[in-house]
Amino acid sequence: MGSYKEAGGLGKLFEGQKQSTTSELPPEMVLFEHPAEELTAAEAGDMLVPFAFEEALCRDVGAGLVPPCLHIWSHPGGVVLGLRDSKLPHAEAAMAGLEQAGFRTAVRHSGGAAVPLDTGIVNVSLILPKAPGKLDFHDDFRLLASLIAEAAAASHPQAAAQIRAGEIAGSYCPGDFDLAIGAANSAASPSAGRAARTSCTRSW
């Protein structure tokens, strides 16, 4: 990770955003990988399995039973709504319409916006213990965004140098920590930029 930081990549990544104390990754972490092609038939049939797995991890990390974790996973397909979206006036009708169109749906017990799942979508969750009296999700998102950018820099340094964090107009779930390559052109030509949503979890 040092090369990206030394090159000033993190400063460019959050250019124009209000800065706060940047958290650091713990010295010891556990990596869990669950790619779609390695799922059992039962796991592939239930989109909520990865979310249930992470809820269990949150409890164990918060209790100090396991070190902080990084969970990388994908799923064959479907749309998972968060609790917020599931309460919208036409959510039930929208889910029925998706099911009729061949897209499976489910409601997870956390989050807000709907999340599309597909074998080509990689989900990354960072699960860290919560320090007493401290709950700043902006620091958590900033840490995960930095981690993703540094991982990209290891294999694609030129592309990583163009990554910027900031709301992407027109994205399915816009937020301050959307990551984009070539974002300046993405509004006019969606194929010109690639974007990713960051997701971070703090265990209690």
Side-chain angles (χ1 to χ4, degrees):
M1 296 182 181
S3 60
Y4 191 72
K5 293 181 178 180
E6 291 164 7
L10 295 185
K12 294 179 181 178
L13 177 64
F14 302 111
E15 192 171 17
Q17 290 192 25
K18 182 179 179 181
Q19 297 296 305
S20 62
T21 303
T22 302
S23 303
E24 294 290 338
L25 286 174
E28 180 184 6
M29 296 188 69
V30 176
L31 172 64
F32 292 97
E33 295 181 273
H34 294 116
E37 57 270 18
E38 295 182 8
L39 298 179
T40 66
E43 292 170 338
D46 189 346
M47 292 182 291
L48 295 180
V49 168
F51 299 97
F53 177 72
E54 290 183 353
E55 286 186 17
L57 280 180
C58 281
R59 290 195 295 269
D60 288 347
V61 170
L65 300 177
V66 297
C69 304
L70 187 67
H71 185 207
I72 301 175
W73 60 279
S74 58
H75 195 277
V79 177
V80 178
L81 276 68
L83 289 176
R84 185 189 68 193
D85 274 6
S86 69
K87 296 177 182 178
L88 292 174
H90 304 291
E92 186 174 344
M95 293 176 69
L98 286 168
E99 292 280 353
Q100 291 177 1
F103 297 96
R104 290 175 297 172
T105 63
V107 177
R108 67 186 188 275
H109 297 295
S110 62
V115 176
L117 300 178
D118 186 80
T119 54
I121 296 175
V122 178
N123 301 279
V124 182
S125 298
L126 183 60
I127 302 174
L128 304 171
K130 175 187 173 295
K134 184 180 187 298
L135 183 60
D136 189 343
F137 66 89
H138 290 95
D139 282 348
D140 298 333
F141 276 115
R142 186 174 287 107
L143 178 60
L144 182 55
S146 301
L147 176 64
I148 293 172
E150 290 175 25
S155 58
H156 297 84
Q158 292 183 335
Q162 301 177 51
I163 294 178
R164 296 294 181 272
E167 183 174 322
I168 301 170
S171 64
Y172 80 93
C173 182
D176 291 342
F177 296 96
D178 294 342
L179 299 182
I181 299 174
N185 299 322
S186 62
S189 174
S191 62
R194 294 187 177 273
R197 282 287 293 162
T198 51
S199 170
C200 192
T201 304
R202 279 279 182 176
S203 59
W204 296 77

